[in-house]
RNA sequence: ACGCGCAUAGCUCAGUUGGUUAGAGCGCAUCGCUGAUAACGAUGAGGUCCCAGGUUCAAAUCCUGGUGCGCGUACCA
């Protein structure tokens, strides 16, 4: 491999593509599974996406999480199967077909039949699978697409039947009429989640209507925004505790009742005279005349009377609510509670009045509003008409307003198992944790029965057969059971095959026929843990061993979706949670803080991003953000670019540095691996162990957002401390022990880093791993970084004292640079002396071990140490608040003042004796913090932990040495420009001013050594290839190859 | 409307159980470094920690009430 060339043109994107090929050709994913197949399983559930859309940023976040965790646990020695899943059924698919055919599903079924309709659906379900596979693979997610599960597979559907059968046996299924959100365009009931997904602010007509009391020449004023429900009115409702007034509108010649609190509102346009006051309770039981004749006979069933309920308020309207139990859940409830069973719902599936409503039969309800209002006006029953702005649910598919109507539906009695669900939730570890008790916990507590039937075509048929004579019901929960009863053995369970299967049972009259409804597709995705394995028909042991799953990860929107349905079914059947750990990711917003929207074009397509910056950068960006703890994140492409810059490039550069020199020296880990005792080597190795320890702690808690920053810090330490300080060791001639130790340390760090990073940045980790592997002449290392064991910390190599010491050294270097900046002396100009000041002798000794690094970094001739801080530094003290606050409580204020006022002498005494008494209170070490700041008039600097003094006096000698360094710099630049290789030796001709020449002569040996120059000749004439200005001096040089 | 979350530098975000000098990166300015560097390093400017109360010796942090944003829930007739 031509490494030289490859490095010059290294591209993360190209490298990733090569690695994708490598994984594919060598079947690394498969091998990782084979390698772990006897290990304890780690069960991961993949939530199935709808296959109708393309993957977006939200899927990428989830996909990254769904890749990192399984990779990590695989490397930890677990067997992690990853099956992709597809949600195939449901409205989105049917809606696509309806659009294509240009008609509703009902019409389509009538014209072409169930079979042909389902064929259409089946045909488009997998339309985008190749795009999904492409994007998911590109981001580096390893998932089994071949062995995927589809909710339309016969095995899957049969397990769904089994799940339903379980609920049926436990008595959790019932048929009821409930008032539900209904889409008149789709002709179907919507689930709660669907109904809530599209609220819009709309203007609806708001009318105040009079109902004539039977026993008095007065009316009741009721207010409604749905005039079309008035023909179905069966009762009126007041609040027992609200005061009502009887008023007279002389102008309109009418007397009526309304809430006192609403009087003000109605008095604005009308002159009203109050005749008397009653409570809602007083009104209860009084009868009124039906507004319309259609259901007048229901008066026999106690309709057309006034009821009481607390849900009536006086925030709007008249405080008297019109009740149409067919169209309102509260309405229905109030009447049920009063024991009135009557309910009417004279509206068909298309939202049109039935023949019962003779005057408006066939009219779409919203269209009927106007005519009804007109009719009421003519009859003198309309008091006021206005419009009302409120948010109203719309059908998310057809964008038409939903109506609420009562419909026969099949329900899961969720309320009966609420406690089980709450108990199951207690066993789940949520990231972020507030969802457990918050959003999800609250949702469970308020859970309501779940309508699972849909009057649809493309779905899993609900396996209930009803006897057409006796109304006896049988739930069938397997293909086998159906065969036993009917003699028909089905290989596909869709409606075209099941609808016509009927049977009778010997000794019973009548024929059993299947109901026509299919399942809500959420029931199917909630059945996924069982159905993907075709449990219990197959894989019984496998399921039992791995349930509940260890881990799932989905977006915050699934709180009410998949997280919920999994929990409902699992609690109902097994009284357990379905999963133990869940990471909930937040919503990805566009850069401008709004939702990402295709029409707004306010984001870059995922594929383009990966084409520009690579998948690793994208992955790292996503999982370092708040997205992995359920927070939203404004997605900025620049953030992805920054990941390249702040993490991947330094990592790459440190590797490239290593490789450049190791190749030059022919260093081979198999032959030249040495553990030396260099202090920075020990430090880096110690740092590495600490890193591994922290990673494993955070990963155990599924807190990914803490893992990657720790890795970044390590990369930073590696490049800006370890390599920077040790460059000289790699430049040394030959392969001495110390140099081998340096190589070995760097090799170990890079290798372990690549393995540690593998779950997070799987591509670049692989790249580094392969490169390092290639350098090893006798490597029996695994073929891929992803087949390695995840490194664990060797705690015996952790030396926290040393880690601290290096921190302090870095502080000293920073202070030195700060000082040089202040006095404007470049690092190239050497300074004579640095004094490190600290009272602690042991610390000074520790720092002295790092003296050479300090000298080099700050370009200092000598370092001295001084324990007598008072010479340079002022002290000031502050109480250690956390410690003292608890002890002193209210007295804290007083002592804070005393402590801050301590004199230098008292502080010195305190330091010497280790304690001090103030106003009767004894303070010991740790109670008082001592801070340091440089004393004025000194060249000292302090960061309150450590202090330095830098001798900034310059002598001509020092200045000339500085000049020599400048010359080296110019020669190196020239070498590079002239195209010399790193190792090539040169001869130099120099033309310069006298003082500069003196500097060069004085430091000739040093200059030659640094620049690989064999000889320097001086000239005073002619002109040369390279010309420079150094301060006020001019320098011209020419280079020739030797 | 209710529930949950969020609000910190021009921008994107850290900020442990309350603890007194509130941090990082980007951007900006200045200086420097560069034979691992698509780079980088240092220094500096930049803050009403959304607002108002409260608890406390002490509040960015806890409580209450607002405001704004997001998500979720909701037939308020």
């Amino acid at each position: 491999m031509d490494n030289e060339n490859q490095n010059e043109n290294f591209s993360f994107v190209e490298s990733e593509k090569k690695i994708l090929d490598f994984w594919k050709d060598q079947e690394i994913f498969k091998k990782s599974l084979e390698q772990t197949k006897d290990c304890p399983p780690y069960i991961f559930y993949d939530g199935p996406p709808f296959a109708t859309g393309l993957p977006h940023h939200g899927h990428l976040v989830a996909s990254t999480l769904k890749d990192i965790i399984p990779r990590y646990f695989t490397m930890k020695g677990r067997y992690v199967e990853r099956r992709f899943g597809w949600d195939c059924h449901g409205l989105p698919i049917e809606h696509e077909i309806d659009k294509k055919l240009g008609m509703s599903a009902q019409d389509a079924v009538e014209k072409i039949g169930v079979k042909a309709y389902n064929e259409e659906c089946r045909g488009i379900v997998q339309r985008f699978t190749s795009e999904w596979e492409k994007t998911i693979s590109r981001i580096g997610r390893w998932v089994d697409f071949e062995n995927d599960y589809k909710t339309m597979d016969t095995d899957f559907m049969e397990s769904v039947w089994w799940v339903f059968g379980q609920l049926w046996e436990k008595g959790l299924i019932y048929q009821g009429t409930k008032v539900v959100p209904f889409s008149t365009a789709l002709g179907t009931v919507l689930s709660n989640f669907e109904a809530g997904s599209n609220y819009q602010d709309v203007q609806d007509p708001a009318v105040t209507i009079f109902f004539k009391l039977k026993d008095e020449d007065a009316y009741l004023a009721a207010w409604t925004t749905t005039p079309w429900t008035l023909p179905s009115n069966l009762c009126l409702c007041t609040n027992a505790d609200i005061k009502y007034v009887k008023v007279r509108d002389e102008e309109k010649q009418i007397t009526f009742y309304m809430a006192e609190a609403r009087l003000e509102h109605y008095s604005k346009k009308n002159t009203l005279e109050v005749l008397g006051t009653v409570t809602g309770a007083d009104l209860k039981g009084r009868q009124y005349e039906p507004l319309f004749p259609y259901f007048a006979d229901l008066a026999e069933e106690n309709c057309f009377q006034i009821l009481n309920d607390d849900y009536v308020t006086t925030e709007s309207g008249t405080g008297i609510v019109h009740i149409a139990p067919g169209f309102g859940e509260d309405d229905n409830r109030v009447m049920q509670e009063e024991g009135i069973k009557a309910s009417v719902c004279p509206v068909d599936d298309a939202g049109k009045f039935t023949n019962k409503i003779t005057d408006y039969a066939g009219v779409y309800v919203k269209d009927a509003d106007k005519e009804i209002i007109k009719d009421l006006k003519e009859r003198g029953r309309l008091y006021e008409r206005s419009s009302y702005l409120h948010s109203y649910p719309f059908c998310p598919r057809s964008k038409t307003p939903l109506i609420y109507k009562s419909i026969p539906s099949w329900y899961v009695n969720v309320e009966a198992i609420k406690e089980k669900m709450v108990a199951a939730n207690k066993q789940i570890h949520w990231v972020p944790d507030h969802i457990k008790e918050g959003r999800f916990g609250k949702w469970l507590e308020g859970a309501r029965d779940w309508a699972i039937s849909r009057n649809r075509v493309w779905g899993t048929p609900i396996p209930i057969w009803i006897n057409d004579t006796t109304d006896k019901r049988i739930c069938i929960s397997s293909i086998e059971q159906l065969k036993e009863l009917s003699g028909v053995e089905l290989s596909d369970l869709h409606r075209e095959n099941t609808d016509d299967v009927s049977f009778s049972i010997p000794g019973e009259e009548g024929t059993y026929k299947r109901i026509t409804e299919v399942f809500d597709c959420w029931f199917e995705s909630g059945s996924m843990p069982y159905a993907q394995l075709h449990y219990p028909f197959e894989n019984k042991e496998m399921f039992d061993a791995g349930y509940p799953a260890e881990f799932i990860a989905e977006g915050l929107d699934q709180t009410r979706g998949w997280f919920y349905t999994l929990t409902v079914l699992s609690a109902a059947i097994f009284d357990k949670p379905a999963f133990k750990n869940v990471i909930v990711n937040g919503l990805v917003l566009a850069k401008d803080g709004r939702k990402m929207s295709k029409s707004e074009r306010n984001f870059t397509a995922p594929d383009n991003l990966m084409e520009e910056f690579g998948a690793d950068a994208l992955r790292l960006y996503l999982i370092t953000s708040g997205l992995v703890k359920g927070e939203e994140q404004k997605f900025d492409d620049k953030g992805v670019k920054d990941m390249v810059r702040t993490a991947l490039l330094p990592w790459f550069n440190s590797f490239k540095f290593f490789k450049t020199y190791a190749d030059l020296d022919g260093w081979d880990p198999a032959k030249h691996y040495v553990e030396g005792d260099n202090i920075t080597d020990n430090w880096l190795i110690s740092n590495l162990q600490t890193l591994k320890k922290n990673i494993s702690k955070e990963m155990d808690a599924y807190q990914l957002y803490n893992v990657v920053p720790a890795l970044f810090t390590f990369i930073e330490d590696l490049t800006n401390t370890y390599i920077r300080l040790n460059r000289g060791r790699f430049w040394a001639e030959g392969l001495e022990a110390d140099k081998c130790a340096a190589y070995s340390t760097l090799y170990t760090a890079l290798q372990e880093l690549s393995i540690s990073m593998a779950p997070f940045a799987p591509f670049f980790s692989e790249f580094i791993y392969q490169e390092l592997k290639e350098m090893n002449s006798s490597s029996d290392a695994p073929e891929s970084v992803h087949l390695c064991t995840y490194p664990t910390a060797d705690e015996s190599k952790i030396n926290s004292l040393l880690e601290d010491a290096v921190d302090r050294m870095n502080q000293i270097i920073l202070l030195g640079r700060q000082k040089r900046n202040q006095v404007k002396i470049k690092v190239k100009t050497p300074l004579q002396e640095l004094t490190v000041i600290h009272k602690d002798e042991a610390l000074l000794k520790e720092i002295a071990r790092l003296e050479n690094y300090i000298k080099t970094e700050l370009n200092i001739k000598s370092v001295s140490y001084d324990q007598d801080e008072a010479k340079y530094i002022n002290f000031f003290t502050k109480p250690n608040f956390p410690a003292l606050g608890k002890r002193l409580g209210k007295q804290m204020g007083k002592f804070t003042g005393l402590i801050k006022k301590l004199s230098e002498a008292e502080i010195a005494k305190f330091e010497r004796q280790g304690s001090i008494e103030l106003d009767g209170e004894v303070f010991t070490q740790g109670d008082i913090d001592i801070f340091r700041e440089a004393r004025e008039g000194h060249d000292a600097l302090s960061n309150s932990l450590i202090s330095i003094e830098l001798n900034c006096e310059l002598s001509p000698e020092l200045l000339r040495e500085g000049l020599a360094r400048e010359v080296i710099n110019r020669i190196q630049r020239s070498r590079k420009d002239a195209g010399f290789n790193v190792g090539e030796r040169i001869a130099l001709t120099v033309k310069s001013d006298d003082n500069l020449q003196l500097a060069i002569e004085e430091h000739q040996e040093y200059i030659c050594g640094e620049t690989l120059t064999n000889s320097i000749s001086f000239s005073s004439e002619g002109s040369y290839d390279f010309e420079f200005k150094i301060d006020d001096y001019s320098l011209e040089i020419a280079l020739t190859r030797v």
Side-chain angles (χ1 to χ4, degrees):
Chain A
M1 199 189 289
D2 188 350
N3 286 318
E4 201 66 31
N5 192 28
Q6 189 198 345
N7 283 356
E8 292 290 318
N9 304 309
F10 186 80
S11 147
F12 286 102
V13 175
E14 290 311 311
S15 163
E16 289 184 355
K17 288 182 178 168
K18 276 186 207 160
I19 283 161
L20 280 173
D21 289 341
F22 166 73
W23 289 344
K24 195 172 170 194
D25 295 344
Q26 301 304 316
E27 299 189 309
I28 304 296
F29 176 39
K30 210 179 248 177
K31 285 176 185 166
S32 80
L33 287 169
E34 275 164 22
Q35 183 175 300
T36 49
K37 68 172 185 291
D38 297 326
C39 297
Y42 178 96
I43 306 297
F44 157 72
Y45 291 158
D46 191 8
F50 269 122
T52 43
L54 290 172
H56 53 70
H57 285 73
H59 294 117
L60 295 185
V61 183
S63 276
T64 302
L65 292 169
K66 290 174 182 182
D67 188 54
I68 289 173
I69 299 290
R71 279 184 193 268
Y72 176 78
F73 280 99
T74 300
M75 292 174 79
K76 279 286 198 182
R78 305 288 293 271
Y79 177 65
V80 192
E81 266 201 344
R82 282 156 267 181
R83 294 181 75 191
F84 204 82
W86 298 101
D87 199 348
C88 303
H89 290 142
L91 277 176
I93 308 279
E94 285 198 20
H95 191 59
E96 290 291 315
I97 296 306
D98 293 353
K99 269 199 296 196
K100 180 183 162 194
L101 299 177
M103 59 180 103
S104 75
Q106 284 100 320
D107 294 345
V109 166
E110 252 170 55
K111 283 213 175 91
I112 62 174
V114 169
K115 188 173 162 63
Y117 188 87
N118 275 351
E119 287 303 324
E120 289 279 354
C121 292
R122 197 189 298 270
I124 65 157
V125 158
Q126 299 209 274
R127 177 164 63 153
F128 291 126
T129 50
S130 65
E131 277 85 351
W132 272 83
E133 200 168 330
K134 188 175 142 235
T135 304
I136 297 291
S137 303
R138 180 62 191 88
I139 200 167
R141 180 170 175 206
W142 276 356
V143 60
D144 190 349
F145 283 109
E146 282 168 33
N147 181 31
D148 58 3
Y149 70 87
K150 300 183 192 72
T151 58
M152 65 178 184
D153 291 342
T154 305
D155 283 353
F156 194 101
M157 292 166 71
E158 190 183 21
S159 287
V160 171
W161 276 17
W162 174 82
V163 168
F164 183 74
Q166 291 293 302
L167 301 182
W168 179 272
E169 277 176 27
K170 290 173 194 285
L172 292 171
I173 302 296
Y174 68 93
Q175 189 183 23
T177 52
K178 272 209 173 177
V179 178
V180 289
F182 193 93
S183 167
T184 53
L186 303 177
T188 187
V189 177
L190 296 183
S191 67
N192 289 338
F193 344 106
E194 290 164 320
S197 65
N198 187 17
Y199 273 79
Q200 291 176 24
D201 284 338
V202 286
Q203 293 269 355
D204 269 327
V207 292
T208 306
I209 302 297
F210 290 128
F211 290 84
K212 170 78 178 59
L213 276 165
K214 261 193 171 169
D215 55 359
E216 186 183 349
D217 185 19
Y219 293 80
L220 294 156
W223 182 82
T224 181
T225 57
T226 51
W228 61 267
T229 60
L230 288 169
S232 312
N233 170 274
L234 296 184
C235 278
L236 290 171
C237 192
T238 58
N239 186 325
D241 299 329
I242 291 178
K243 267 191 191 169
Y244 291 83
V245 285
K246 184 161 125 183
V247 293
R248 175 74 184 168
D249 184 328
E250 201 55 49
E251 189 185 336
K252 296 206 168 115
Q253 290 282 308
I254 197 160
T255 305
F256 60 95
Y257 288 88
M258 63 179 292
E260 188 180 33
R262 299 299 298 168
L263 196 54
E264 192 189 335
H265 173 83
Y266 281 93
S267 298
K268 281 179 196 158
K269 288 184 189 164
N270 312 283
T271 312
L272 297 173
E273 182 193 349
V274 177
L275 304 177
T277 306
V278 292
T279 64
D282 297 332
L283 291 168
K284 185 170 184 221
R286 293 182 67 177
Q287 296 183 331
Y288 64 91
E289 293 170 4
L291 194 61
F292 288 91
Y294 317 118
F295 303 105
D297 53 338
L298 288 174
E300 291 166 22
E301 298 186 32
N302 293 323
C303 289
F304 309 112
Q305 60 162 314
I306 299 172
L307 308 176
N308 278 167
D309 194 82
D310 287 342
Y311 89 105
V312 176
T313 67
T314 54
E315 279 162 37
S316 58
T318 61
I320 300 175
V321 175
H322 123 73
I323 288 184
F327 301 103
E329 193 180 328
D330 277 324
D331 306 34
N332 196 30
R333 176 181 57 78
V334 171
M335 291 198 41
Q336 296 284 330
E337 281 170 13
E338 197 59 35
I340 307 173
K341 297 232 167 59
S343 178
V344 294
C345 187
V347 172
D348 67 14
D349 286 356
K352 293 172 179 169
F353 280 115
T354 60
N355 294 335
K356 266 278 187 189
I357 310 298
T358 43
D359 300 299
Y360 308 109
V363 180
Y364 178 61
V365 293
K366 293 270 178 187
D367 296 337
D369 275 348
K370 268 188 190 163
E371 292 181 47
I372 291 169
I373 293 167
K374 196 175 146 203
D375 176 41
L376 290 169
K377 190 176 179 187
E378 281 166 5
R379 287 162 49 193
R381 294 300 188 89
L382 178 72
Y383 188 49
E384 216 179 76
R385 180 192 172 160
S386 61
S387 65
Y388 186 71
L389 181 72
H390 60 160
S391 78
Y392 193 84
F394 277 67
C395 172
R397 313 274 167 221
S398 65
K399 316 292 180 207
T400 57
L402 298 178
I403 65 168
Y404 286 79
K405 71 173 227 166
S406 58
I407 190 163
S409 276
W410 293 89
Y411 283 86
V412 176
N413 190 346
V414 176
E415 290 181 37
I417 56 162
K418 202 181 278 185
E419 279 171 28
K420 287 184 178 179
M421 285 161 50
V422 170
N425 184 35
K426 288 215 163 69
Q427 299 171 51
I428 299 171
H429 173 228
W430 289 84
V431 176
D433 60 359
H434 62 76
I435 293 181
K436 179 178 191 155
E437 298 298 332
R439 189 175 281 225
F440 193 68
K442 294 258 165 74
W443 174 246
L444 290 184
E445 284 162 24
R448 290 202 260 161
D449 290 356
W450 175 15
I452 50 162
S453 59
R454 294 288 179 276
N455 298 308
R456 302 303 304 185
V457 190
W458 176 239
T460 300
I462 295 183
I464 297 173
W465 269 259
I466 298 181
N467 187 309
D468 59 4
T469 308
T470 63
D471 201 42
K472 201 176 159 197
R473 288 120 196 256
I474 293 180
C475 172
I476 290 183
S477 50
S478 70
I479 293 173
E480 181 62 31
Q481 190 189 354
L482 183 60
K483 186 185 160 194
E484 278 168 18
L485 289 168
S486 70
V488 181
E489 181 167 11
L490 295 174
S491 57
D492 180 289
L493 300 181
H494 285 95
R495 274 188 57 186
E496 62 270 29
N497 302 314
T498 49
D499 279 3
D500 296 335
V501 177
S502 55
F503 54 88
S504 36
I505 290 180
E508 271 186 43
E509 51 181 337
T511 305
Y512 284 89
K513 290 181 178 156
R514 197 187 76 80
I515 61 171
T516 56
E517 287 103 321
V518 299
F519 281 109
D520 173 9
C521 60
W522 286 101
F523 190 90
E524 300 173 59
S525 51
S527 304
M528 168 272 176
Y530 332 100
Q532 71 158 341
L533 292 174
H534 195 209
Y535 180 86
F537 308 101
E538 291 178 73
N539 300 314
K540 219 166 173 313
E541 278 170 32
M542 191 195 292
F543 175 83
D544 291 340
Y547 190 82
E550 293 289 338
F551 174 68
I552 63 172
E554 304 290 335
L556 193 55
D557 51 333
Q558 295 300 327
T559 316
R560 270 66 173 178
W562 200 48
F563 299 150
Y564 178 66
T565 58
L566 281 175
T567 305
V568 171
L569 297 181
S570 183
I573 300 173
F574 293 104
D575 199 4
K576 278 189 199 175
F579 49 91
K580 294 184 203 160
N581 300 285
V582 54
I583 297 181
V584 184
N585 67 268
L587 186 72
V588 185
L589 300 175
K591 191 186 169 186
D592 56 14
R594 291 181 301 159
K595 271 192 184 177
M596 285 190 172
S597 137
K598 273 182 202 155
S599 55
E600 303 250 357
R601 293 167 171 269
N602 55 359
F603 66 97
T604 311
D607 290 344
N608 298 349
L609 269 174
M610 289 191 278
E611 198 53 43
E612 191 173 356
F613 303 112
D616 279 344
L618 179 57
R619 290 168 65 115
L620 292 175
Y621 175 63
L622 292 174
I623 59 160
T624 325
S625 70
L627 287 169
V628 290
K629 43 179 166 174
E631 289 170 11
E632 62 196 32
Q633 168 79 25
K634 292 171 194 157
F635 189 100
D636 189 352
D637 296 358
K638 197 168 162 299
V640 182
K641 192 184 172 190
D642 280 350
M643 277 303 144
V644 177
R645 207 176 44 73
T646 55
L648 295 175
L649 268 178
W651 184 11
F652 174 65
N653 288 331
S654 55
F655 162 74
K656 191 173 154 190
F657 172 86
F658 171 73
K659 184 168 174 60
T660 304
Y661 290 98
D663 280 354
L664 225 53
D665 284 327
W667 186 83
D668 178 348
K671 295 173 190 156
H672 309 118
Y673 194 90
V674 175
E675 272 184 43
D677 59 355
N678 177 286
I679 187 167
T680 53
D681 288 356
N682 293 339
W683 168 76
L684 188 67
I685 297 301
S686 168
N687 224 349
L688 184 62
Q689 310 312 318
T690 307
L691 171 75
K692 289 187 287 188
K693 196 174 150 189
N694 289 338
I695 290 178
S696 110
K697 192 182 97 200
E698 299 296 347
M699 287 302 282
D700 285 349
Y702 291 84
Q703 306 191 85
L704 297 197
Y705 45 93
N706 285 336
V707 174
V708 181
L711 284 159
F712 290 173
T713 307
F714 182 77
I715 291 173
E716 160 86 15
D717 284 342
L718 181 65
T719 58
N720 279 332
T721 302
Y722 183 77
I723 292 182
R724 189 184 165 99
L725 296 183
N726 286 294
R727 270 183 295 191
R729 294 168 73 198
F730 295 93
W731 292 337
E733 295 282 329
L735 258 180
E736 300 303 321
D738 176 62
K739 190 178 190 181
C740 284
Y743 276 132
S744 305
T745 304
L746 194 45
Y747 176 81
T748 301
L750 285 169
Q751 194 187 31
E752 297 219 344
L753 178 65
S754 80
I755 305 176
S756 300
M757 284 291 278
F760 309 97
F763 294 98
F764 195 63
S765 299
E766 185 77 288
F767 169 80
I768 298 284
Y769 179 83
Q770 295 300 338
E771 290 279 333
L772 294 175
K773 189 166 176 266
E774 206 173 285
M775 290 170 69
N776 193 329
S777 62
S778 69
S779 178
D780 53 356
E783 184 182 6
S784 157
V785 70
H786 302 289
L787 300 175
C788 293
T789 300
Y790 203 81
T792 49
D794 177 351
E795 304 217 11
S796 73
K797 288 183 175 167
I798 295 182
N799 180 348
S800 33
L801 189 74
L802 179 54
E803 290 187 31
D804 285 350
V806 172
D807 274 353
R808 264 177 220 123
M809 175 192 71
N810 279 330
Q811 285 165 11
I812 290 168
I813 292 169
L814 279 184
L815 287 171
R817 287 191 185 133
Q818 204 176 322
K819 187 72 200 173
R820 279 181 168 276
N821 239 322
Q822 284 170 11
V823 298
K824 299 207 184 302
I825 300 173
K826 302 186 208 185
V827 178
K828 280 206 180 75
T829 309
L831 289 171
Q832 194 56 51
E833 187 177 33
L834 172 79
T835 310
V836 178
I837 304 149
H838 200 278
K839 66 169 172 44
D840 185 349
E841 190 184 358
L843 176 63
L844 289 180
K845 269 196 180 142
E846 191 73 11
I847 292 171
R849 294 176 67 203
L850 293 155
E851 183 177 301
N852 278 337
Y853 295 108
I854 298 174
K855 278 185 181 170
T856 313
E857 278 304 296
L858 289 176
N859 195 12
I860 303 290
K861 292 280 167 199
S862 69
V863 180
S864 61
Y865 302 88
D866 198 335
Q867 285 177 255
D868 186 4
E869 297 181 300
K871 268 199 293 192
Y872 314 88
I873 287 164
N874 290 327
F875 296 92
F876 62 97
T877 42
K878 275 183 188 169
N880 178 359
F881 285 99
L884 291 183
K886 287 192 183 80
R887 194 171 102 200
L888 300 175
K890 294 204 179 202
Q891 296 186 315
M892 194 63 201
K894 181 181 82 181
F895 284 107
T896 300
L898 290 176
I899 289 170
K900 280 185 176 172
K901 265 188 247 159
L902 285 176
S903 69
E904 297 247 328
E906 285 170 314
I907 293 171
K909 195 178 148 205
F910 170 68
E911 288 220 285
R912 239 184 359 262
Q913 298 182 342
S915 73
I916 193 167
E917 190 180 323
L918 293 171
D919 203 14
E921 188 74 30
V922 176
F923 297 91
T924 56
Q925 238 164 7
D927 289 343
I928 297 176
D929 293 328
I930 300 171
F931 295 88
R932 297 156 165 80
E933 66 190 357
R935 181 166 285 180
E936 274 183 48
H938 272 269
D939 284 335
L941 270 184
S942 177
N943 71 351
S944 83
L945 290 172
I946 196 150
S947 312
I948 61 160
E949 184 175 61
L950 192 56
N951 180 350
C952 297
E953 272 173 50
L954 290 170
S955 66
E957 288 76 21
L958 291 173
L959 283 170
R960 283 201 297 277
E961 193 179 332
L963 286 176
R965 282 197 164 209
E966 296 283 1
V967 172
I968 291 170
N969 166 260
R970 303 310 190 276
I971 296 170
Q972 301 287 36
R973 252 192 254 173
S974 308
R975 280 183 63 114
K976 205 172 183 179
D977 289 349
F980 288 91
N981 281 334
V982 182
E984 268 184 295
R985 305 204 69 95
I986 56 164
L988 206 59
T989 310
V990 177
K991 177 183 160 192
S992 70
D993 303 309
D994 287 350
N995 195 41
L996 191 55
Q997 185 166 333
L998 180 61
I1000 296 170
E1001 281 166 357
E1002 263 179 22
H1003 300 280
Q1004 186 157 351
E1005 203 180 322
Y1006 175 51
I1007 294 172
C1008 290
E1010 289 293 306
T1011 58
L1012 300 186
T1013 299
N1014 281 3
S1015 64
I1016 302 182
S1017 58
F1018 295 94
S1019 163
S1020 55
E1021 287 166 20
S1023 66
Y1024 297 87
D1025 309 348
F1026 298 97
E1027 237 189 288
F1028 300 99
K1029 261 295 196 218
I1030 299 175
D1031 295 340
D1032 292 331
Y1033 309 112
S1034 68
L1035 173 74
E1036 290 182 47
I1037 56 177
L1039 290 68
T1040 51
R1041 220 170 238 111
V1042 178

